[in-house]
């Protein structure tokens, strides 16, 4: 598969700006424990898929998903002002279950070693 360095750079910039926005600007309590784990861009840079997880186990995944949906317009405006792109990509949010899966595998390994 061919690499798309501009898409990678834009994805990294979106992740940086979005992490900063979550930390300092969004006051929604549903998003307090949300952490952006990655951003993937489409080839044409028209769609940004943002992967997130919930740290600390506080808040349900559904509540955080609703929080992101409610804040989508604000997030898109802030990203547009920070990135300076001609066309602002559509932002979609997906829960990243890889950390949960890693914890599950770790628990299985520990249970095998303890037996």
């Amino acid at each position: 598969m061919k690499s798309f360095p501009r898409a990678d750079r834009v994805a990294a910039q979106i992740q940086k700006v979005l992490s900063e926005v979550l930390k300092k600007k969004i006051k929604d309590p549903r998003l307090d424990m949300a952490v952006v784990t990655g951003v993937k861009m489409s080839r044409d840079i028209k769609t940004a898929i943002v992967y997130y997880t919930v740290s600390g186990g506080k808040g349900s995944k559904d509540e955080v998903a609703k929080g992101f949906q409610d804040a989508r317009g604000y997030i898109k405006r802030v990203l547009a002002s920070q990135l300076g792109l001609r066309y602002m990509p559509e932002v979609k949010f997906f829960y990243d279950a890889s950390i949960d899966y890693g914890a599950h595998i770790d628990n299985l390994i520990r249970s095998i070693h303890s037996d």
Side-chain angles (χ1 to χ4, degrees), residues 39-79:
V39 176
K40 293 200 180 191
M41 296 295 299
S42 62
R43 291 184 189 189
D44 58 1
I45 308 180
K46 291 192 177 190
T47 304
I49 299 173
V50 177
Y51 294 97
Y52 67 90
T53 188
V54 180
S55 66
K58 292 175 84 177
S60 70
K61 295 181 271 190
D62 296 333
E63 287 298 314
V64 174
K66 288 177 187 174
F68 273 120
Q69 291 304 319
D70 291 345
R72 177 183 283 183
Y74 174 74
I75 289 171
K76 194 170 177 178
R77 280 192 306 274
V78 171
L79 287 174

Side-chain angles (χ1 to χ4, degrees), residues 5-51:
R6 181 165 186 255
D8 294 341
R9 289 192 309 267
V10 172
Q13 193 66 19
I14 286 174
Q15 183 172 357
K16 179 182 171 187
V17 171
L18 187 54
S19 295
E20 189 74 19
V21 166
L22 284 175
K23 190 185 318 178
K24 294 184 178 177
K25 294 184 179 179
I26 292 186
K27 305 290 189 237
D28 191 338
R30 296 176 291 188
L31 300 177
D32 282 344
M33 301 305 285
V35 177
V36 176
T37 59
V39 176
K40 293 200 180 191
M41 296 295 299
S42 62
R43 291 184 189 189
D44 58 1
I45 308 180
K46 291 192 177 190
T47 304
I49 299 173
V50 177
Y51 294 97

